Amino acid sequence: MASRVSLDRSLPNQRIPKAVVRRLSLYARALQRLEGGASEKVSSEDLANMLGYKAAQVRKDLAYFGQFGTPGFGYQVASLRAEIKRILGADREFLVAVVGVGNLGSALLSYGGFLKQGYRIVCGFDIDPEQTHAREGAVRVHHVRDLEKKIKELRIDIVILAVPPDAVQAIADRCVAASILGILNFVPTRITVPKNVHLHQVDLALEMESLGFYIRLQSE
Amino acid sequence: MASRVSLDRSLPNQRIPKAVVRRLSLYARALQRLEGGASEKVSSEDLANMLGYKAAQVRKDLAYFGQFGTPGFGYQVASLRAEIKRILGADREFLVAVVGVGNLGSALLSYGGFLKQGYRIVCGFDIDPEQTHAREGAVRVHHVRDLEKKIKELRIDIVILAVPPDAVQAIADRCVAASILGILNFVPTRITVPKNVHLHQVDLALEMESLGFYIRLQSE
DNA sequence: TAGATTGTTAATCGATTAACAATC
DNA sequence: TAGATTGTTAATCGATTAACAATC
């Protein structure tokens, strides 16, 4: 059984901690910065310093997925980055829809931040698509009544929720019923979904509150 | 020394883990939902169930800040919520500015999500305030050249960064030099600040990447 | 070969949970 | 008093870090 791990690096048979996956994305970004730079190799020490981690952690994180380095040498910048991209799923494009095209939703629709490779925003949904329609040249805004139908038809993988707080759980339930794979929830209301659906809550109110708390703590 | 803790609950003399503070905000929100409900009391068990935690964790989290419950009874919903709000700093308003009033920035300016009590968005900054100006009725957008001056003049505590990626570290440095207390960074570029400044990175690209990773993991 | 740096094991640290005496 | 539930200590679990043999 142990041999299987080294044969097929892309299928880790242990559970991967969320924190490890987050760091993996940051490694990829750091490597991108290094690419085209002076050196084609990088050590776990270098990478750790760039991100404020410890070298051992970098090596341990990578070890979840395989052996990518050469003892006494380090890692090839380009190939390590390619490996990490592959691990993170660069081999597949995810189709994304934004539900709720108000202020935040329309900014997210046009925000390039996560459009980078691998994620394509396919459409929006709103209770009043006419009103939002004109603003978004590129992407069609459908009526939210057609949510399930369009999710299936357009094979949408991920929805971004930016609807009013009291609507969010019901919308999430409908998405789940339509077999959505992942939800990124921007609404400051916690929602629950079955554990086969991956959920990230981006809670700005929460971030602000902890920021405020730590500021207060510090000033005393 | 131990007595000091019980005397002054608002000044914890131990380091508070970030995770505890985050949960504290969620407790406050759960209590808000309970308020006006059937019962005026709540047990750690109830609260834990509402949020998917364990009762012991709720009690332990609260214990960092004092003793708020009654053995054999539980907690008073209203007073516990008031205590938590106080701990989180409801006794002080933080003044906030948004730097970079593009798509995302202007949505954040008008987004009510974190405007809830305690945070007031005072103004925006942009390299081309004229262009953004008209769109925001309520809040003034200043030229970014006046950043330091206005931060001091208006006594801004927190900046939200929504500038282009290659400008973000320089802007952050200027904010720090102008004695900002906290930074909420929305730009998908990691920045570094001195440790007396509190920094939260809200990294949408990162969230999407981990969502994609977990989806891929699941589907295999 | 000597020096460098990996991958991995063992030690440490921190956070969560269980257990329970205290007490309303 | 009996039942319930707290605050806190001790046990457990998980994640980070240090140490080091393997090896390029």
Side-chain angles (χ1 to χ4, degrees):
Chain A
M1 225 8 176
S3 65
R4 189 162 170 270
V5 178
S6 45
L7 283 175
D8 187 349
R9 295 159 164 187
S10 68
L11 283 175
N13 54 6
Q14 333 154 46
R15 190 194 135 276
I16 311 294
K18 279 206 167 165
V20 171
V21 177
R22 291 186 75 88
R23 284 194 297 268
L24 226 52
S25 310
L26 294 170
Y27 298 151
R29 234 182 252 171
L31 289 163
Q32 190 166 23
R33 268 189 287 150
L34 290 176
E35 233 168 327
S39 173
E40 288 187 349
K41 66 170 194 176
V42 66
S43 67
S44 57
E45 183 77 37
D46 298 338
L47 216 40
N49 288 339
M50 289 179 76
L51 295 161
Y53 302 143
K54 290 283 156 65
Q57 183 159 68
V58 173
R59 296 199 297 277
K60 188 119 216 281
D61 286 349
L62 295 174
Y64 277 97
F65 303 95
Q67 309 189 162
F68 308 111
T70 311
F73 176 85
Y75 305 85
Q76 289 289 154
V77 171
S79 74
L80 181 57
R81 173 156 178 262
E83 287 285 359
I84 293 177
K85 295 300 285 183
R86 188 185 52 74
I87 293 166
L88 289 171
D91 57 346
R92 147 121 150 76
E93 187 180 60
F94 291 98
L95 304 183
V96 181
V98 174
V99 188
V101 189
N103 271 321
L104 184 63
S106 64
L108 292 172
L109 268 184
S110 50
Y111 179 57
F114 41 62
L115 272 172
K116 17 182 82 174
Q117 328 94 306
Y119 301 91
R120 186 151 58 91
I121 294 190
V122 187
C123 68
F125 291 97
D126 203 276
I127 37 166
D128 188 356
E130 293 308 318
Q131 199 211 310
T132 64
H133 218 163
R135 288 210 300 248
E136 316 306 326
V139 171
R140 183 91 190 274
V141 178
H142 299 290
H143 196 287
V144 76
R145 91 167 75 81
D146 300 323
L147 186 61
E148 292 86 345
K149 201 180 95 187
K150 291 290 178 188
I151 286 178
K152 288 188 168 151
E153 202 173 290
L154 302 169
R155 302 180 168 281
I156 290 165
D157 300 296
I158 297 172
V159 287
I160 298 177
L161 302 185
V163 300
D166 48 339
V168 66
Q169 181 67 59
I171 293 286
D173 292 343
R174 289 177 60 191
C175 294
V176 169
S179 308
I180 205 75
L181 294 176
I183 295 178
L184 193 57
N185 179 28
F186 271 85
V187 185
T189 299
R190 295 270 134 169
I191 59 176
T192 56
V193 297
K195 60 181 171 323
N196 65 320
V197 174
H198 287 285
L199 173 66
H200 273 216
Q201 314 251 15
V202 180
D203 197 326
L204 307 185
L206 212 66
E207 307 288 350
M208 285 301 267
E209 246 168 27
S210 9
L211 210 47
F213 174 77
Y214 283 108
I215 287 173
R216 212 178 76 102
L217 210 62
Q218 163 196 79
S219 62
E220 281 168 315
Chain B
M1 227 2 174
S3 66
R4 187 161 171 270
V5 179
S6 45
L7 282 176
D8 187 349
R9 297 159 164 187
S10 67
L11 283 175
N13 53 6
Q14 338 153 45
R15 187 193 137 276
I16 310 294
K18 280 206 167 167
V20 172
V21 177
R22 290 185 77 87
R23 285 194 297 266
L24 226 50
S25 310
L26 294 171
Y27 297 150
R29 234 182 253 170
L31 290 163
Q32 191 167 21
R33 268 189 287 148
L34 290 176
E35 233 168 327
S39 174
E40 288 189 347
K41 68 173 192 175
V42 65
S43 67
S44 56
E45 183 77 37
D46 298 337
L47 216 40
N49 288 340
M50 289 180 75
L51 295 161
Y53 303 142
K54 289 282 156 66
Q57 181 160 70
V58 173
R59 296 200 298 274
K60 188 122 217 284
D61 285 349
L62 295 174
Y64 278 97
F65 303 94
Q67 310 188 164
F68 307 112
T70 312
F73 177 83
Y75 305 86
Q76 289 289 155
V77 171
S79 75
L80 180 58
R81 174 157 178 259
E83 288 285 359
I84 293 178
K85 295 301 283 183
R86 187 185 52 74
I87 292 166
L88 289 171
D91 57 347
R92 149 123 150 73
E93 188 181 58
F94 290 98
L95 303 184
V96 181
V98 174
V99 188
V101 189
N103 270 321
L104 185 64
S106 64
L108 293 173
L109 269 184
S110 50
Y111 180 56
F114 40 64
L115 274 171
K116 17 183 83 176
Q117 328 93 307
Y119 302 91
R120 185 150 59 91
I121 295 190
V122 187
C123 67
F125 291 97
D126 203 276
I127 37 166
D128 188 356
E130 294 307 319
Q131 199 211 310
T132 63
H133 218 159
R135 286 210 301 245
E136 315 308 324
V139 171
R140 185 90 189 275
V141 178
H142 300 289
H143 197 287
V144 75
R145 91 166 75 82
D146 300 323
L147 187 62
E148 293 86 344
K149 201 181 93 187
K150 291 290 178 188
I151 285 177
K152 287 186 171 152
E153 202 173 291
L154 302 169
R155 303 180 168 280
I156 290 165
D157 300 296
I158 296 172
V159 288
I160 298 177
L161 303 185
V163 301
D166 48 338
V168 65
Q169 181 66 60
I171 293 287
D173 292 343
R174 289 176 60 193
C175 293
V176 169
S179 307
I180 205 75
L181 294 176
I183 295 178
L184 192 59
N185 180 28
F186 271 85
V187 185
T189 300
R190 296 269 134 166
I191 59 175
T192 56
V193 296
K195 62 182 167 324
N196 65 320
V197 175
H198 287 285
L199 172 67
H200 272 218
Q201 313 251 17
V202 180
D203 197 326
L204 307 187
L206 211 66
E207 307 287 350
M208 285 300 268
E209 248 166 26
S210 7
L211 209 48
F213 173 77
Y214 283 107
I215 285 174
R216 212 177 75 99
L217 209 62
Q218 162 195 83
S219 61
E220 282 170 313

